[in-house]
Amino acid sequence: MKERLWVVGMLVATHVTQAQQLDSLIKEYELQEVVVSASRLQRELHTVSVPIQTINAEDILRAGYLRLQDALQEQTGLQLVYDHGVGLQMQGLDADYTLIMIDGEPLIGRTAGTFDLSRLNITDIKRIEIMRGPSSAVYGSEALAGVINIITEEEEALPWRLSGMARYGSRNTSNFQLKATTTSTKLSTSWSANYYGSAGYDFTPETYGQTAPPFMNYTLRGGVAYDLSPAWRVHTRVRLYEDFVKDAYESFGERFDGKGYVADKNVYTAVEWTPTGRAFWQFRNYFTTYHTSASYWQKDSGEETDHSFFRQLYWRPELFAKYDLAQEHTLSGGVGTNREQVSATRYEGTRRLYNLYAYAQHEWSRGRWHMHTGARFDHHSIYAGQLSPKWGIRYNQDRWSLRASVGRGYKAPDFRQLYLNFTNNAAGYTVLGTEEVRQGMERLLAQGLIAEILLPPSQVASLKPERSWALNVGGEWRPLQKMKVDVNLFRNMLQDMIDTQPVARRNNGQFVYSYRNLQEVITQGVELNVTYKLSTYWRLSAGYQYLDAFEPSVKERIRAGEIYKRDAQTLVSRRVKPEEYGGLFNRSRHSANLKVFYTHPRWEATMRLIYRGRYGWGDANGNLILDDKSEYVDAYVLCNMSFMYHLRRYTLQAGIDNATDFRNEAFVPALAPRTFWFAFQFDITNHKK
């Protein structure tokens, strides 16, 4: 019944508004803001038919954000997940399904599927673009939930500019930033360097080691662009990130020390040709590597107990073209290939994948109407070809607008799900990728380690890509001159979701696991943003998301009376009631934010409250679903504040993150305690021609 009501609600809601622009952009000129993530073309935000929002450099500076997760956690409907680093959950879909990019090029290096957002410094960028809904029609795999695109390119009109920042906070947390840009008639350059480090923190001082160990990292970034002629332009960008961690832990009375290292390197080069005012050609070449290593040794003896590494290479050349057929029509498209290579401690040898792709788009605009149609075809070396279409439309009026988009997304099986060959000797279990099951099982059988085969290796099916259909409907409404209301309704229908399955039982009672495709997962809900300018200096914004994420097959089994739960006190079993099913784990049904901004020519201040409703942490009663009060993490509220004072070219800033000192050591250990910080910034420019 709820599903039927949802469909009716989606149809009725086409007159309401869409919430995807940043709440701080309630300015008179906001409709002229330019974005590129929606179609790889520069487009004014009010012509884009997909849900997209931006966080610009002024917003980042005002709030004192340092890393990417700092900015994203305060946006409506975006949830941080702490699993193998800080990942991002969008519209109820896991961190695996959101593509993270810099200037339109993908970043690699996912640990257990999660891209760690703490790797990305954002203190020297132009803006962040957040696009929700499947974007596989443009960007391919991993863009099933949406795209986060960090824009670093800047077109400076000044001969040179030098800016920097020094920041210090609690627990010896420091950040130093320096950026320089130069611009001449034909040549422009941009360079930046960032250092970030902390002594970490510890919620359990009675044990050896810290909850968050000390670390230091740096990011170097550079870019050069040169106009060979009015028609030809070449530019290149390079980025280097390195991170060093000191770790320690205690196990069964023994103490261990360790160190970790992460390196992320990117090189991008493009040649652009504009033969006429209507045509544009670009050849781009992108190469990136990601490397991690970790070593642990016994503290007293110094004997090494574990060493692991992970190396990934990614290369993508692409040819892109755009042509304006007429004032109302634009065609664009591209062809390219992805080449990937991975070697790791847990993989047998070096594994390679490749993908060939082609995509095309058509954009049409006439008066108040804007429409976008696109499709992409991918041919992968492992799985069958994939076609990903997308369509969107927008209609603008003076005080309101409507938009709707529908798209198909996909996510290819990763190296872990295909080639992993790992045995945890301490816990006694084994995980084999689907391409390694046959050889891995033969080896375990030859060693006499298998007690029972649950699924013959020949019956382990090859993995299919995960697919989804998604619908976003909404718009924008200005009931008052100083007020804006945004609403977005979404529904994602995910098919062939990849999950683990036991294929054999070892002699020690533990299992051998591999992977399989599940039938269907649905996430649906509504996102609401309201902004109101109280006066010349005061501005208020509020956001809310309702999320319903579930497996239809589980609901059907509950209705049929096939799923039971056991009372922890009486040990009596009974059938699970439909209203007890809480949906997918680690999803908050309700989340919200409230932000207050004070902006004065000299003084600026912000206060931001972030609410996350309760969510399931795991199965406690053994029936593999979320259905009991003991399986939930309690709701919580975070409070962040910042204060700024401007002195011509200089700015003084102070802030408090997690002002209420909220802590949940058991379920949210990666959330740092209260942090005080102070910063000094300068911006020097040469205005002479």
Side-chain angles (χ1 to χ4, degrees), residues 70-190:
D70 300 335
L72 297 182
Q73 72 171 344
E74 298 185 1
Q75 309 310 312
T76 302
L78 302 184
Q79 299 290 344
L80 297 186
V81 293
Y82 303 96
D83 180 17
H84 295 86
V86 185
L88 180 71
Q89 184 188 105
M90 184 184 295
Q91 291 191 345
L93 296 178
D94 273 335
D96 304 45
Y97 307 113
T98 300
L99 181 62
I100 309 296
M101 302 190 301
I102 290 185
D103 294 317
E105 301 297 338
L107 290 168
I108 62 173
R110 292 176 177 266
T111 305
T114 298
F115 183 94
D116 187 4
L117 303 176
S118 65
R119 286 163 46 189
L120 298 176
N121 163 55
I122 60 171
T123 56
D124 66 337
I125 67 171
K126 185 176 181 180
R127 67 180 181 275
I128 303 168
E129 296 181 357
I130 305 169
M131 183 167 58
R132 310 189 192 204
S135 302
S136 298
V138 179
Y139 297 108
S141 182
E142 294 179 6
L144 191 146
V147 169
I148 307 295
N149 192 12
I150 299 173
I151 308 296
T152 67
E153 294 181 323
E154 291 191 56
E155 294 294 336
E156 290 283 0
L158 304 170
W160 60 266
R161 181 176 184 178
L162 180 66
S163 60
M165 175 182 65
R167 170 166 156 169
Y168 185 80
S170 304
R171 298 173 295 281
N172 293 325
T173 302
S174 56
N175 185 86
F176 301 99
Q177 175 76 38
L178 187 65
K179 182 176 182 179
T181 62
T182 65
T183 304
S184 64
T185 305
K186 293 185 176 183
L187 178 68
S188 61
T189 67
S190 176

Side-chain angles (χ1 to χ4, degrees), residues 565-640:
K565 66 184 299 184
R566 175 175 291 184
D567 188 280
Q569 302 297 326
T570 66
L571 301 181
V572 175
S573 296
R574 65 171 176 83
R575 290 186 175 93
V576 175
K577 300 177 182 178
E579 60 271 19
E580 293 178 313
Y581 178 48
L584 301 184
F585 291 103
N586 201 23
R587 272 83 171 171
S588 295
R589 183 151 292 186
H590 305 280
S591 60
N593 60 70
L594 177 64
K595 307 176 189 178
V596 180
F597 301 89
Y598 175 78
T599 304
H600 185 272
R602 291 272 184 175
W603 291 93
E604 291 191 64
T606 71
M607 183 181 73
R608 295 102 60 201
L609 300 175
I610 303 100
Y611 168 80
R612 180 171 186 183
R614 70 169 191 165
Y615 59 92
W617 61 267
D619 176 41
N621 56 17
N623 61 7
L624 304 180
I625 67 169
L626 177 59
D627 66 331
D628 192 83
K629 293 181 179 179
S630 65
E631 299 173 342
Y632 284 92
V633 178
D634 292 335
Y636 61 86
V637 177
L638 300 179
C639 177
N640 301 325

Side-chain angles (χ1 to χ4, degrees), residues 14 17 83 200 203 415 485 493 565 612:
T14 55
T17 59
D83 180 17
F203 290 143
F415 285 94
V485 181
M493 295 160 284
K565 66 184 299 184
R612 180 171 186 183

Side-chain angles (χ1 to χ4, degrees), residues 242-365:
E242 288 192 311
D243 180 72
F244 304 87
V245 179
K246 293 182 178 180
D247 200 4
Y249 71 95
E250 184 175 342
S251 177
F252 298 104
E254 289 191 274
R255 294 183 172 184
F256 300 86
D257 290 332
K259 62 180 180 180
Y261 171 75
V262 177
D264 183 3
K265 305 173 184 178
N266 324 124
V267 179
Y268 169 85
T269 303
V271 178
E272 299 174 353
W273 179 43
T274 310
T276 66
R278 291 187 174 185
F280 173 79
W281 293 80
Q282 182 189 62
F283 175 76
R284 52 170 71 111
N285 188 65
Y286 176 67
F287 180 78
T288 181
T289 65
Y290 178 77
H291 169 62
T292 68
S293 65
S295 298
Y296 288 91
W297 55 89
Q298 213 276 341
K299 181 176 177 60
D300 296 327
S301 67
E303 179 184 357
E304 187 176 74
T305 58
D306 182 64
H307 175 75
S308 62
F309 72 91
F310 178 89
R311 296 188 183 93
Q312 183 178 4
L313 284 75
Y314 179 96
W315 175 51
R316 182 171 79 173
E318 179 182 293
L319 178 64
F320 173 82
K322 176 186 77 75
Y323 187 75
D324 295 324
L325 294 175
Q327 187 175 2
E328 300 175 350
H329 300 272
T330 299
L331 288 178
S332 62
V335 294
T337 180
N338 303 329
R339 304 278 168 164
E340 295 185 71
Q341 176 179 305
V342 164
S343 58
T345 309
R346 298 176 179 179
Y347 297 161
E348 291 288 339
T350 299
R351 298 297 180 177
R352 295 176 176 84
L353 297 175
Y354 73 85
N355 179 48
L356 304 173
Y357 64 87
Y359 62 94
Q361 304 172 98
H362 171 253
E363 297 182 57
W364 170 78
S365 295

Side-chain angles (χ1 to χ4, degrees), residues 192-206:
S192 70
N194 174 265
Y195 168 87
Y196 180 48
S198 175
Y201 56 88
D202 191 11
F203 290 143
T204 56
E206 67 279 1

Side-chain angles (χ1 to χ4, degrees), residues 609-677:
L609 300 175
I610 303 100
Y611 168 80
R612 180 171 186 183
R614 70 169 191 165
Y615 59 92
W617 61 267
D619 176 41
N621 56 17
N623 61 7
L624 304 180
I625 67 169
L626 177 59
D627 66 331
D628 192 83
K629 293 181 179 179
S630 65
E631 299 173 342
Y632 284 92
V633 178
D634 292 335
Y636 61 86
V637 177
L638 300 179
C639 177
N640 301 325
M641 295 184 287
S642 65
F643 312 89
M644 295 180 65
Y645 182 67
H646 299 284
L647 290 167
R648 298 183 65 185
R649 296 176 176 176
Y650 310 100
T651 300
L652 300 177
Q653 191 173 18
I656 310 174
D657 295 335
N658 192 7
T660 59
D661 199 26
F662 168 79
R663 303 187 187 189
N664 189 330
E665 295 89 343
F667 297 107
V668 200
L671 181 61
R674 182 190 294 119
T675 300
F676 295 91
W677 55 268

